[in-house]
mmCIF file with all atom_site columns, all heavy atoms in Angstrom:
data_model
loop_
_atom_site.group_PDB
_atom_site.id
_atom_site.type_symbol
_atom_site.label_atom_id
_atom_site.label_alt_id
_atom_site.label_comp_id
_atom_site.label_asym_id
_atom_site.label_entity_id
_atom_site.label_seq_id
_atom_site.pdbx_PDB_ins_code
_atom_site.Cartn_x
_atom_site.Cartn_y
_atom_site.Cartn_z
_atom_site.occupancy
_atom_site.B_iso_or_equiv
_atom_site.pdbx_formal_charge
_atom_site.auth_seq_id
_atom_site.auth_comp_id
_atom_site.auth_asym_id
_atom_site.auth_atom_id
_atom_site.pdbx_PDB_model_num
ATOM 1   N N   . PHE A 1 83  ? 9.808   -2.017 1.088   1.00 0.00 ? 160 PHE A N   1
ATOM 2   C CA  . PHE A 1 83  ? 8.937   -2.807 1.955   1.00 0.00 ? 160 PHE A CA  1
ATOM 3   C C   . PHE A 1 83  ? 7.869   -1.926 2.593   1.00 0.00 ? 160 PHE A C   1
ATOM 4   O O   . PHE A 1 83  ? 6.706   -2.328 2.718   1.00 0.00 ? 160 PHE A O   1
ATOM 5   C CB  . PHE A 1 83  ? 9.762   -3.511 3.030   1.00 0.00 ? 160 PHE A CB  1
ATOM 6   C CG  . PHE A 1 83  ? 8.955   -4.395 3.939   1.00 0.00 ? 160 PHE A CG  1
ATOM 7   C CD1 . PHE A 1 83  ? 7.991   -5.251 3.436   1.00 0.00 ? 160 PHE A CD1 1
ATOM 8   C CD2 . PHE A 1 83  ? 9.159   -4.365 5.308   1.00 0.00 ? 160 PHE A CD2 1
ATOM 9   C CE1 . PHE A 1 83  ? 7.236   -6.062 4.281   1.00 0.00 ? 160 PHE A CE1 1
ATOM 10  C CE2 . PHE A 1 83  ? 8.406   -5.169 6.160   1.00 0.00 ? 160 PHE A CE2 1
ATOM 11  C CZ  . PHE A 1 83  ? 7.447   -6.018 5.646   1.00 0.00 ? 160 PHE A CZ  1
ATOM 12  N N   . GLY A 1 84  ? 8.242   -0.697 2.989   1.00 0.00 ? 161 GLY A N   1
ATOM 13  C CA  . GLY A 1 84  ? 7.246   0.231  3.520   1.00 0.00 ? 161 GLY A CA  1
ATOM 14  C C   . GLY A 1 84  ? 6.154   0.505  2.506   1.00 0.00 ? 161 GLY A C   1
ATOM 15  O O   . GLY A 1 84  ? 4.959   0.539  2.847   1.00 0.00 ? 161 GLY A O   1
ATOM 16  N N   . LEU A 1 85  ? 6.538   0.697  1.238   1.00 0.00 ? 162 LEU A N   1
ATOM 17  C CA  . LEU A 1 85  ? 5.550   0.896  0.176   1.00 0.00 ? 162 LEU A CA  1
ATOM 18  C C   . LEU A 1 85  ? 4.684   -0.343 0.013   1.00 0.00 ? 162 LEU A C   1
ATOM 19  O O   . LEU A 1 85  ? 3.470   -0.237 -0.235  1.00 0.00 ? 162 LEU A O   1
ATOM 20  C CB  . LEU A 1 85  ? 6.272   1.209  -1.135  1.00 0.00 ? 162 LEU A CB  1
ATOM 21  C CG  . LEU A 1 85  ? 5.392   1.486  -2.347  1.00 0.00 ? 162 LEU A CG  1
ATOM 22  C CD1 . LEU A 1 85  ? 4.622   2.799  -2.174  1.00 0.00 ? 162 LEU A CD1 1
ATOM 23  C CD2 . LEU A 1 85  ? 6.227   1.527  -3.620  1.00 0.00 ? 162 LEU A CD2 1
ATOM 24  N N   . MET A 1 86  ? 5.284   -1.519 0.159   1.00 0.00 ? 163 MET A N   1
ATOM 25  C CA  . MET A 1 86  ? 4.543   -2.773 0.031   1.00 0.00 ? 163 MET A CA  1
ATOM 26  C C   . MET A 1 86  ? 3.440   -2.917 1.077   1.00 0.00 ? 163 MET A C   1
ATOM 27  O O   . MET A 1 86  ? 2.514   -3.719 0.899   1.00 0.00 ? 163 MET A O   1
ATOM 28  C CB  . MET A 1 86  ? 5.509   -3.956 0.148   1.00 0.00 ? 163 MET A CB  1
ATOM 29  C CG  . MET A 1 86  ? 6.414   -4.142 -1.048  1.00 0.00 ? 163 MET A CG  1
ATOM 30  S SD  . MET A 1 86  ? 7.680   -5.404 -0.718  1.00 0.00 ? 163 MET A SD  1
ATOM 31  C CE  . MET A 1 86  ? 8.292   -5.719 -2.380  1.00 0.00 ? 163 MET A CE  1
ATOM 32  N N   . CYS A 1 87  ? 3.548   -2.175 2.155   1.00 0.00 ? 164 CYS A N   1
ATOM 33  C CA  . CYS A 1 87  ? 2.585   -2.271 3.248   1.00 0.00 ? 164 CYS A CA  1
ATOM 34  C C   . CYS A 1 87  ? 1.474   -1.227 3.154   1.00 0.00 ? 164 CYS A C   1
ATOM 35  O O   . CYS A 1 87  ? 0.719   -1.012 4.107   1.00 0.00 ? 164 CYS A O   1
ATOM 36  C CB  . CYS A 1 87  ? 3.310   -2.152 4.592   1.00 0.00 ? 164 CYS A CB  1
ATOM 37  S SG  . CYS A 1 87  ? 4.436   -3.525 4.930   1.00 0.00 ? 164 CYS A SG  1
ATOM 38  N N   . ILE A 1 88  ? 1.368   -0.564 1.997   1.00 0.00 ? 165 ILE A N   1
ATOM 39  C CA  . ILE A 1 88  ? 0.325   0.430  1.737   1.00 0.00 ? 165 ILE A CA  1
ATOM 40  C C   . ILE A 1 88  ? -0.647  -0.153 0.723   1.00 0.00 ? 165 ILE A C   1
ATOM 41  O O   . ILE A 1 88  ? -0.251  -0.600 -0.365  1.00 0.00 ? 165 ILE A O   1
ATOM 42  C CB  . ILE A 1 88  ? 0.939   1.736  1.185   1.00 0.00 ? 165 ILE A CB  1
ATOM 43  C CG1 . ILE A 1 88  ? 1.887   2.383  2.206   1.00 0.00 ? 165 ILE A CG1 1
ATOM 44  C CG2 . ILE A 1 88  ? -0.149  2.700  0.745   1.00 0.00 ? 165 ILE A CG2 1
ATOM 45  C CD1 . ILE A 1 88  ? 1.202   2.993  3.406   1.00 0.00 ? 165 ILE A CD1 1
ATOM 46  N N   . TYR A 1 89  ? -1.956  -0.140 1.051   1.00 0.00 ? 166 TYR A N   1
ATOM 47  C CA  . TYR A 1 89  ? -2.979  -0.733 0.199   1.00 0.00 ? 166 TYR A CA  1
ATOM 48  C C   . TYR A 1 89  ? -4.150  0.229  0.011   1.00 0.00 ? 166 TYR A C   1
ATOM 49  O O   . TYR A 1 89  ? -4.466  1.013  0.907   1.00 0.00 ? 166 TYR A O   1
ATOM 50  C CB  . TYR A 1 89  ? -3.528  -2.020 0.825   1.00 0.00 ? 166 TYR A CB  1
ATOM 51  C CG  . TYR A 1 89  ? -2.506  -3.107 1.047   1.00 0.00 ? 166 TYR A CG  1
ATOM 52  C CD1 . TYR A 1 89  ? -1.750  -3.155 2.222   1.00 0.00 ? 166 TYR A CD1 1
ATOM 53  C CD2 . TYR A 1 89  ? -2.285  -4.091 0.085   1.00 0.00 ? 166 TYR A CD2 1
ATOM 54  C CE1 . TYR A 1 89  ? -0.812  -4.158 2.435   1.00 0.00 ? 166 TYR A CE1 1
ATOM 55  C CE2 . TYR A 1 89  ? -1.358  -5.103 0.291   1.00 0.00 ? 166 TYR A CE2 1
ATOM 56  C CZ  . TYR A 1 89  ? -0.619  -5.121 1.468   1.00 0.00 ? 166 TYR A CZ  1
ATOM 57  O OH  . TYR A 1 89  ? 0.315   -6.118 1.667   1.00 0.00 ? 166 TYR A OH  1
ATOM 58  N N   . GLY A 1 90  ? -4.790  0.139  -1.135  1.00 0.00 ? 167 GLY A N   1
ATOM 59  C CA  . GLY A 1 90  ? -5.958  0.974  -1.365  1.00 0.00 ? 167 GLY A CA  1
ATOM 60  C C   . GLY A 1 90  ? -6.927  0.342  -2.346  1.00 0.00 ? 167 GLY A C   1
ATOM 61  O O   . GLY A 1 90  ? -6.539  -0.454 -3.206  1.00 0.00 ? 167 GLY A O   1
ATOM 62  N N   . ILE A 1 91  ? -8.187  0.703  -2.187  1.00 0.00 ? 168 ILE A N   1
ATOM 63  C CA  . ILE A 1 91  ? -9.242  0.351  -3.136  1.00 0.00 ? 168 ILE A CA  1
ATOM 64  C C   . ILE A 1 91  ? -9.900  1.656  -3.565  1.00 0.00 ? 168 ILE A C   1
ATOM 65  O O   . ILE A 1 91  ? -10.174 2.525  -2.719  1.00 0.00 ? 168 ILE A O   1
ATOM 66  C CB  . ILE A 1 91  ? -10.298 -0.579 -2.507  1.00 0.00 ? 168 ILE A CB  1
ATOM 67  C CG1 . ILE A 1 91  ? -9.647  -1.848 -1.954  1.00 0.00 ? 168 ILE A CG1 1
ATOM 68  C CG2 . ILE A 1 91  ? -11.390 -0.938 -3.525  1.00 0.00 ? 168 ILE A CG2 1
ATOM 69  C CD1 . ILE A 1 91  ? -10.596 -2.699 -1.106  1.00 0.00 ? 168 ILE A CD1 1
ATOM 70  N N   . GLU A 1 92  ? -10.137 1.817  -4.842  1.00 0.00 ? 169 GLU A N   1
ATOM 71  C CA  . GLU A 1 92  ? -10.752 3.046  -5.351  1.00 0.00 ? 169 GLU A CA  1
ATOM 72  C C   . GLU A 1 92  ? -11.667 2.713  -6.525  1.00 0.00 ? 169 GLU A C   1
ATOM 73  O O   . GLU A 1 92  ? -11.288 1.969  -7.425  1.00 0.00 ? 169 GLU A O   1
ATOM 74  C CB  . GLU A 1 92  ? -9.680  4.039  -5.786  1.00 0.00 ? 169 GLU A CB  1
ATOM 75  C CG  . GLU A 1 92  ? -10.186 5.252  -6.538  1.00 0.00 ? 169 GLU A CG  1
ATOM 76  C CD  . GLU A 1 92  ? -11.263 6.042  -5.796  1.00 0.00 ? 169 GLU A CD  1
ATOM 77  O OE1 . GLU A 1 92  ? -11.159 6.173  -4.556  1.00 0.00 ? 169 GLU A OE1 1
ATOM 78  O OE2 . GLU A 1 92  ? -12.214 6.507  -6.451  1.00 0.00 ? 169 GLU A OE2 1
ATOM 79  N N   . LEU A 1 93  ? -12.869 3.257  -6.485  1.00 0.00 ? 170 LEU A N   1
ATOM 80  C CA  . LEU A 1 93  ? -13.874 2.949  -7.496  1.00 0.00 ? 170 LEU A CA  1
ATOM 81  C C   . LEU A 1 93  ? -13.567 3.599  -8.842  1.00 0.00 ? 170 LEU A C   1
ATOM 82  O O   . LEU A 1 93  ? -13.798 3.005  -9.896  1.00 0.00 ? 170 LEU A O   1
ATOM 83  C CB  . LEU A 1 93  ? -15.255 3.412  -7.004  1.00 0.00 ? 170 LEU A CB  1
ATOM 84  C CG  . LEU A 1 93  ? -16.460 3.044  -7.861  1.00 0.00 ? 170 LEU A CG  1
ATOM 85  C CD1 . LEU A 1 93  ? -16.621 1.533  -7.932  1.00 0.00 ? 170 LEU A CD1 1
ATOM 86  C CD2 . LEU A 1 93  ? -17.723 3.687  -7.300  1.00 0.00 ? 170 LEU A CD2 1
ATOM 87  N N   . LEU A 1 94  ? -13.032 4.822  -8.818  1.00 0.00 ? 171 LEU A N   1
ATOM 88  C CA  . LEU A 1 94  ? -12.863 5.599  -10.044 1.00 0.00 ? 171 LEU A CA  1
ATOM 89  C C   . LEU A 1 94  ? -11.455 5.429  -10.623 1.00 0.00 ? 171 LEU A C   1
ATOM 90  O O   . LEU A 1 94  ? -10.457 5.554  -9.916  1.00 0.00 ? 171 LEU A O   1
ATOM 91  C CB  . LEU A 1 94  ? -13.146 7.073  -9.771  1.00 0.00 ? 171 LEU A CB  1
ATOM 92  C CG  . LEU A 1 94  ? -14.553 7.360  -9.221  1.00 0.00 ? 171 LEU A CG  1
ATOM 93  C CD1 . LEU A 1 94  ? -14.733 8.839  -8.950  1.00 0.00 ? 171 LEU A CD1 1
ATOM 94  C CD2 . LEU A 1 94  ? -15.630 6.849  -10.175 1.00 0.00 ? 171 LEU A CD2 1
ATOM 95  N N   . GLU A 1 95  ? -11.405 5.175  -11.918 1.00 0.00 ? 172 GLU A N   1
ATOM 96  C CA  . GLU A 1 95  ? -10.140 4.846  -12.575 1.00 0.00 ? 172 GLU A CA  1
ATOM 97  C C   . GLU A 1 95  ? -9.110  5.966  -12.450 1.00 0.00 ? 172 GLU A C   1
ATOM 98  O O   . GLU A 1 95  ? -7.928  5.719  -12.181 1.00 0.00 ? 172 GLU A O   1
ATOM 99  C CB  . GLU A 1 95  ? -10.385 4.530  -14.049 1.00 0.00 ? 172 GLU A CB  1
ATOM 100 C CG  . GLU A 1 95  ? -9.132  4.148  -14.815 1.00 0.00 ? 172 GLU A CG  1
ATOM 101 C CD  . GLU A 1 95  ? -9.402  3.870  -16.280 1.00 0.00 ? 172 GLU A CD  1
ATOM 102 O OE1 . GLU A 1 95  ? -10.541 4.119  -16.737 1.00 0.00 ? 172 GLU A OE1 1
ATOM 103 O OE2 . GLU A 1 95  ? -8.472  3.413  -16.978 1.00 0.00 ? 172 GLU A OE2 1
ATOM 104 N N   . ASP A 1 96  ? -9.524  7.218  -12.676 1.00 0.00 ? 173 ASP A N   1
ATOM 105 C CA  . ASP A 1 96  ? -8.548  8.309  -12.651 1.00 0.00 ? 173 ASP A CA  1
ATOM 106 C C   . ASP A 1 96  ? -7.963  8.496  -11.257 1.00 0.00 ? 173 ASP A C   1
ATOM 107 O O   . ASP A 1 96  ? -6.778  8.786  -11.095 1.00 0.00 ? 173 ASP A O   1
ATOM 108 C CB  . ASP A 1 96  ? -9.153  9.609  -13.180 1.00 0.00 ? 173 ASP A CB  1
ATOM 109 C CG  . ASP A 1 96  ? -10.342 10.099 -12.375 1.00 0.00 ? 173 ASP A CG  1
ATOM 110 O OD1 . ASP A 1 96  ? -11.004 9.273  -11.701 1.00 0.00 ? 173 ASP A OD1 1
ATOM 111 O OD2 . ASP A 1 96  ? -10.622 11.315 -12.414 1.00 0.00 ? 173 ASP A OD2 1
ATOM 112 N N   . ASN A 1 97  ? -8.784  8.313  -10.225 1.00 0.00 ? 174 ASN A N   1
ATOM 113 C CA  . ASN A 1 97  ? -8.285  8.424  -8.860  1.00 0.00 ? 174 ASN A CA  1
ATOM 114 C C   . ASN A 1 97  ? -7.279  7.319  -8.542  1.00 0.00 ? 174 ASN A C   1
ATOM 115 O O   . ASN A 1 97  ? -6.241  7.566  -7.924  1.00 0.00 ? 174 ASN A O   1
ATOM 116 C CB  . ASN A 1 97  ? -9.434  8.355  -7.855  1.00 0.00 ? 174 ASN A CB  1
ATOM 117 C CG  . ASN A 1 97  ? -10.212 9.655  -7.763  1.00 0.00 ? 174 ASN A CG  1
ATOM 118 O OD1 . ASN A 1 97  ? -9.745  10.702 -8.217  1.00 0.00 ? 174 ASN A OD1 1
ATOM 119 N ND2 . ASN A 1 97  ? -11.406 9.590  -7.203  1.00 0.00 ? 174 ASN A ND2 1
ATOM 120 N N   . ALA A 1 98  ? -7.612  6.090  -8.943  1.00 0.00 ? 175 ALA A N   1
ATOM 121 C CA  . ALA A 1 98  ? -6.706  4.961  -8.688  1.00 0.00 ? 175 ALA A CA  1
ATOM 122 C C   . ALA A 1 98  ? -5.358  5.201  -9.361  1.00 0.00 ? 175 ALA A C   1
ATOM 123 O O   . ALA A 1 98  ? -4.300  4.958  -8.772  1.00 0.00 ? 175 ALA A O   1
ATOM 124 C CB  . ALA A 1 98  ? -7.330  3.652  -9.166  1.00 0.00 ? 175 ALA A CB  1
ATOM 125 N N   . ARG A 1 99  ? -5.405  5.703  -10.587 1.00 0.00 ? 176 ARG A N   1
ATOM 126 C CA  . ARG A 1 99  ? -4.158  5.993  -11.322 1.00 0.00 ? 176 ARG A CA  1
ATOM 127 C C   . ARG A 1 99  ? -3.357  7.090  -10.606 1.00 0.00 ? 176 ARG A C   1
ATOM 128 O O   . ARG A 1 99  ? -2.146  6.973  -10.426 1.00 0.00 ? 176 ARG A O   1
ATOM 129 C CB  . ARG A 1 99  ? -4.485  6.413  -12.752 1.00 0.00 ? 176 ARG A CB  1
ATOM 130 C CG  . ARG A 1 99  ? -3.253  6.697  -13.600 1.00 0.00 ? 176 ARG A CG  1
ATOM 131 C CD  . ARG A 1 99  ? -3.624  7.076  -15.009 1.00 0.00 ? 176 ARG A CD  1
ATOM 132 N NE  . ARG A 1 99  ? -4.370  8.340  -15.061 1.00 0.00 ? 176 ARG A NE  1
ATOM 133 C CZ  . ARG A 1 99  ? -5.674  8.424  -15.327 1.00 0.00 ? 176 ARG A CZ  1
ATOM 134 N NH1 . ARG A 1 99  ? -6.379  7.340  -15.579 1.00 0.00 ? 176 ARG A NH1 1
ATOM 135 N NH2 . ARG A 1 99  ? -6.279  9.594  -15.350 1.00 0.00 ? 176 ARG A NH2 1
ATOM 136 N N   . GLU A 1 100 ? -4.051  8.156  -10.196 1.00 0.00 ? 177 GLU A N   1
ATOM 137 C CA  . GLU A 1 100 ? -3.374  9.251  -9.509  1.00 0.00 ? 177 GLU A CA  1
ATOM 138 C C   . GLU A 1 100 ? -2.800  8.793  -8.171  1.00 0.00 ? 177 GLU A C   1
ATOM 139 O O   . GLU A 1 100 ? -1.723  9.240  -7.769  1.00 0.00 ? 177 GLU A O   1
ATOM 140 C CB  . GLU A 1 100 ? -4.343  10.418 -9.290  1.00 0.00 ? 177 GLU A CB  1
ATOM 141 C CG  . GLU A 1 100 ? -4.683  11.173 -10.557 1.00 0.00 ? 177 GLU A CG  1
ATOM 142 C CD  . GLU A 1 100 ? -5.747  12.231 -10.321 1.00 0.00 ? 177 GLU A CD  1
ATOM 143 O OE1 . GLU A 1 100 ? -5.961  12.633 -9.148  1.00 0.00 ? 177 GLU A OE1 1
ATOM 144 O OE2 . GLU A 1 100 ? -6.387  12.668 -11.309 1.00 0.00 ? 177 GLU A OE2 1
ATOM 145 N N   . CYS A 1 101 ? -3.507  7.905  -7.485  1.00 0.00 ? 178 CYS A N   1
ATOM 146 C CA  . CYS A 1 101 ? -3.015  7.394  -6.208  1.00 0.00 ? 178 CYS A CA  1
ATOM 147 C C   . CYS A 1 101 ? -1.698  6.656  -6.413  1.00 0.00 ? 178 CYS A C   1
ATOM 148 O O   . CYS A 1 101 ? -0.728  6.872  -5.672  1.00 0.00 ? 178 CYS A O   1
ATOM 149 C CB  . CYS A 1 101 ? -4.063  6.476  -5.576  1.00 0.00 ? 178 CYS A CB  1
ATOM 150 S SG  . CYS A 1 101 ? -3.599  5.864  -3.937  1.00 0.00 ? 178 CYS A SG  1
ATOM 151 N N   . ARG A 1 102 ? -1.656  5.776  -7.416  1.00 0.00 ? 179 ARG A N   1
ATOM 152 C CA  . ARG A 1 102 ? -0.406  5.060  -7.707  1.00 0.00 ? 179 ARG A CA  1
ATOM 153 C C   . ARG A 1 102 ? 0.712   6.048  -8.054  1.00 0.00 ? 179 ARG A C   1
ATOM 154 O O   . ARG A 1 102 ? 1.846   5.914  -7.581  1.00 0.00 ? 179 ARG A O   1
ATOM 155 C CB  . ARG A 1 102 ? -0.619  4.083  -8.872  1.00 0.00 ? 179 ARG A CB  1
ATOM 156 C CG  . ARG A 1 102 ? -1.600  2.956  -8.557  1.00 0.00 ? 179 ARG A CG  1
ATOM 157 C CD  . ARG A 1 102 ? -1.632  1.939  -9.697  1.00 0.00 ? 179 ARG A CD  1
ATOM 158 N NE  . ARG A 1 102 ? -2.804  1.068  -9.569  1.00 0.00 ? 179 ARG A NE  1
ATOM 159 C CZ  . ARG A 1 102 ? -3.907  1.196  -10.306 1.00 0.00 ? 179 ARG A CZ  1
ATOM 160 N NH1 . ARG A 1 102 ? -3.985  2.131  -11.240 1.00 0.00 ? 179 ARG A NH1 1
ATOM 161 N NH2 . ARG A 1 102 ? -4.926  0.372  -10.123 1.00 0.00 ? 179 ARG A NH2 1
ATOM 162 N N   . GLU A 1 103 ? 0.385   7.043  -8.875  1.00 0.00 ? 180 GLU A N   1
ATOM 163 C CA  . GLU A 1 103 ? 1.394   8.030  -9.284  1.00 0.00 ? 180 GLU A CA  1
ATOM 164 C C   . GLU A 1 103 ? 1.911   8.827  -8.088  1.00 0.00 ? 180 GLU A C   1
ATOM 165 O O   . GLU A 1 103 ? 3.114   9.095  -7.976  1.00 0.00 ? 180 GLU A O   1
ATOM 166 C CB  . GLU A 1 103 ? 0.795   8.973  -10.337 1.00 0.00 ? 180 GLU A CB  1
ATOM 167 C CG  . GLU A 1 103 ? 0.528   8.310  -11.678 1.00 0.00 ? 180 GLU A CG  1
ATOM 168 C CD  . GLU A 1 103 ? -0.247  9.213  -12.631 1.00 0.00 ? 180 GLU A CD  1
ATOM 169 O OE1 . GLU A 1 103 ? -0.709  10.288 -12.190 1.00 0.00 ? 180 GLU A OE1 1
ATOM 170 O OE2 . GLU A 1 103 ? -0.401  8.828  -13.806 1.00 0.00 ? 180 GLU A OE2 1
ATOM 171 N N   . ASN A 1 104 ? 1.008   9.218  -7.196  1.00 0.00 ? 181 ASN A N   1
ATOM 172 C CA  . ASN A 1 104 ? 1.412   10.016 -6.038  1.00 0.00 ? 181 ASN A CA  1
ATOM 173 C C   . ASN A 1 104 ? 2.265   9.208  -5.064  1.00 0.00 ? 181 ASN A C   1
ATOM 174 O O   . ASN A 1 104 ? 3.243   9.720  -4.501  1.00 0.00 ? 181 ASN A O   1
ATOM 175 C CB  . ASN A 1 104 ? 0.179   10.580 -5.333  1.00 0.00 ? 181 ASN A CB  1
ATOM 176 C CG  . ASN A 1 104 ? -0.522  11.646 -6.151  1.00 0.00 ? 181 ASN A CG  1
ATOM 177 O OD1 . ASN A 1 104 ? 0.086   12.290 -7.000  1.00 0.00 ? 181 ASN A OD1 1
ATOM 178 N ND2 . ASN A 1 104 ? -1.807  11.824 -5.916  1.00 0.00 ? 181 ASN A ND2 1
ATOM 179 N N   . LEU A 1 105 ? 1.911   7.957  -4.869  1.00 0.00 ? 182 LEU A N   1
ATOM 180 C CA  . LEU A 1 105 ? 2.719   7.093  -4.004  1.00 0.00 ? 182 LEU A CA  1
ATOM 181 C C   . LEU A 1 105 ? 4.078   6.827  -4.634  1.00 0.00 ? 182 LEU A C   1
ATOM 182 O O   . LEU A 1 105 ? 5.106   6.875  -3.951  1.00 0.00 ? 182 LEU A O   1
ATOM 183 C CB  . LEU A 1 105 ? 1.983   5.779  -3.744  1.00 0.00 ? 182 LEU A CB  1
ATOM 184 C CG  . LEU A 1 105 ? 0.776   5.863  -2.806  1.00 0.00 ? 182 LEU A CG  1
ATOM 185 C CD1 . LEU A 1 105 ? -0.067  4.586  -2.896  1.00 0.00 ? 182 LEU A CD1 1
ATOM 186 C CD2 . LEU A 1 105 ? 1.206   6.106  -1.361  1.00 0.00 ? 182 LEU A CD2 1
ATOM 187 N N   . LEU A 1 106 ? 4.084   6.565  -5.932  1.00 0.00 ? 183 LEU A N   1
ATOM 188 C CA  . LEU A 1 106 ? 5.350   6.331  -6.627  1.00 0.00 ? 183 LEU A CA  1
ATOM 189 C C   . LEU A 1 106 ? 6.239   7.567  -6.553  1.00 0.00 ? 183 LEU A C   1
ATOM 190 O O   . LEU A 1 106 ? 7.448   7.465  -6.318  1.00 0.00 ? 183 LEU A O   1
ATOM 191 C CB  . LEU A 1 106 ? 5.093   5.951  -8.081  1.00 0.00 ? 183 LEU A CB  1
ATOM 192 C CG  . LEU A 1 106 ? 6.337   5.738  -8.958  1.00 0.00 ? 183 LEU A CG  1
ATOM 193 C CD1 . LEU A 1 106 ? 7.184   4.594  -8.411  1.00 0.00 ? 183 LEU A CD1 1
ATOM 194 C CD2 . LEU A 1 106 ? 5.930   5.472  -10.403 1.00 0.00 ? 183 LEU A CD2 1
ATOM 195 N N   . GLY A 1 107 ? 5.647   8.741  -6.733  1.00 0.00 ? 184 GLY A N   1
ATOM 196 C CA  . GLY A 1 107 ? 6.413   9.972  -6.660  1.00 0.00 ? 184 GLY A CA  1
ATOM 197 C C   . GLY A 1 107 ? 7.033   10.189 -5.292  1.00 0.00 ? 184 GLY A C   1
ATOM 198 O O   . GLY A 1 107 ? 8.198   10.605 -5.183  1.00 0.00 ? 184 GLY A O   1
ATOM 199 N N   . THR A 1 108 ? 6.281   9.884  -4.248  1.00 0.00 ? 185 THR A N   1
ATOM 200 C CA  . THR A 1 108 ? 6.794   10.020 -2.883  1.00 0.00 ? 185 THR A CA  1
ATOM 201 C C   . THR A 1 108 ? 7.963   9.077  -2.649  1.00 0.00 ? 185 THR A C   1
ATOM 202 O O   . THR A 1 108 ? 8.997   9.464  -2.088  1.00 0.00 ? 185 THR A O   1
ATOM 203 C CB  . THR A 1 108 ? 5.661   9.727  -1.875  1.00 0.00 ? 185 THR A CB  1
ATOM 204 O OG1 . THR A 1 108 ? 4.589   10.651 -2.086  1.00 0.00 ? 185 THR A OG1 1
ATOM 205 C CG2 . THR A 1 108 ? 6.155   9.851  -0.434  1.00 0.00 ? 185 THR A CG2 1
#
Side-chain angles (χ1 to χ4, degrees):
F160 182 44
L162 182 68
M163 288 172 166
C164 294
I165 297 289
Y166 300 87
I168 303 170
E169 170 55 38
L170 186 63
L171 302 179
E172 181 181 8
D173 61 336
N174 283 344
R176 182 179 65 252
E177 288 174 19
C178 184
R179 295 187 195 103
E180 291 172 352
N181 290 336
L182 288 166
L183 177 61
T185 300

